[in-house]
Amino acid sequence: DAGITQSPRYKITETGRQVTLMCHQTWSHSYMFWYRQDLGHGLRLIYYSAAADITDKGEVPDGYVVSRSKTENFPLTLESATRSQTSVYFCASRGLADEQFFGPGTRLTVL
Amino acid sequence: KNQVEQSPQSLIILEGKNCTLQCNYTVSPFSNLRWYKQDTGRGPVSLTIMTFSENTKSNGRYTATLDADTKQSSLHITASQLSDSASYICVAPGGFKTIFGAGTRLFVKA
């Protein structure tokens, strides 16, 4: 399927567990992003990547790790999940004229 | 500080009515401004882009305006439909970052 996909769409985990959220895009866009969206905060940037093997922190990176070994994949890992990381996570890639294409989101609940 | 502020925070209108959403931006250097629509449970999707030289741009029932002097943009929705119920997010690139507004939550009632 063309576009940007995320998996899983829903995830429930427990405090302290490691969780990985997957993101895959088919356009070969150089830039990819991870955001979290919480009520009252809008979209906040966690990490971004300018190309394979190039990643950098965003606004709220603590507790998260990313990697980008291939252009099309950009997984986000919560090393030890906390309740404050309960959120909806969006992956995006950037095309022409700064347009960002967002995935469908992953709703994560940490118990 | 680069920022994008939107108003109102939320809005309820009756189906068939028009509405206007506001966006004030302080972004330097300014290159463009986008409006995104985010349906419940989905990721945002770009509706329109406004560049420095454009005053007005339409996309169906959606019309965006840009006033570069006052640093304001608006999104006007004509003859609203139930499917217009969504969040509308104003976004501008700010250097190497993307600056997101908090969004306006629009509810269209039958």
Side-chain angles (χ1 to χ4, degrees):
Chain A
D1 290 336
I4 186 163
T5 57
Q6 293 183 237
S7 62
R9 292 295 315 278
Y10 303 90
K11 177 74 176 178
I12 299 175
T13 190
E14 295 177 335
T15 302
R17 292 198 180 261
Q18 183 180 82
V19 177
T20 296
L21 309 184
M22 305 301 292
C23 178
H24 175 80
Q25 53 113 350
T26 60
W27 296 298
S28 298
H29 289 158
S30 295
Y31 276 86
M32 295 186 73
F33 307 85
W34 274 106
Y35 298 93
R36 59 178 292 172
Q37 188 174 42
D38 306 288
L39 280 174
H41 286 281
L43 286 158
R44 291 185 291 174
L45 180 65
I46 304 170
Y47 268 95
Y48 69 98
S49 169
D53 298 321
I54 301 176
T55 63
D56 207 349
K57 296 178 180 179
E59 186 183 352
V60 289
D62 293 343
Y64 303 95
V65 174
V66 293
S67 62
R68 190 148 176 227
S69 58
K70 293 183 178 181
T71 300
E72 61 266 30
N73 297 325
F74 190 35
L76 175 74
T77 298
L78 288 66
E79 296 182 294
S80 178
T82 65
R83 290 196 181 90
S84 65
Q85 292 177 311
T86 291
S87 185
V88 181
Y89 291 85
F90 287 99
C91 177
S93 67
R94 193 170 76 189
L96 296 175
D98 299 309
E99 182 175 3
Q100 292 199 23
F101 297 88
F102 289 83
T106 294
R107 184 175 293 275
L108 176 68
T109 301
V110 183
L111 302 176
Chain B
K1 178 183 177 183
N2 288 334
Q3 59 184 16
V4 172
E5 296 180 341
Q6 294 187 244
S7 63
Q9 189 172 20
S10 63
L11 183 61
I12 302 173
I13 62 173
L14 290 175
E15 186 179 15
K17 298 296 185 182
N18 303 336
C19 67
T20 300
L21 313 180
Q22 300 290 344
C23 173
N24 294 337
Y25 63 93
T26 307
V27 176
S28 181
F30 178 80
S31 60
N32 62 70
L33 182 146
R34 281 186 185 273
W35 285 92
Y36 286 79
K37 179 187 180 188
Q38 185 177 19
D39 292 314
T40 300
R42 295 178 177 247
V45 175
S46 178
L47 283 174
T48 187
I49 178 174
M50 302 296 292
T51 59
F52 185 84
S53 60
E54 295 174 307
N55 299 116
T56 304
K57 183 179 285 186
S58 293
N59 177 5
R61 294 179 298 101
Y62 299 100
T63 299
T65 66
L66 180 72
D67 185 332
D69 292 331
T70 61
K71 296 184 175 14
Q72 294 181 326
S73 178
S74 66
L75 182 69
H76 184 76
I77 303 174
T78 303
S80 61
Q81 300 177 358
L82 296 178
S83 59
D84 292 330
S85 293
S87 289
Y88 293 84
I89 306 171
C90 181
V91 181
F96 69 93
K97 287 182 62 178
T98 300
I99 313 299
F100 289 87
T104 292
R105 189 72 176 96
L106 175 65
F107 300 89
V108 180
K109 301 181 71 173

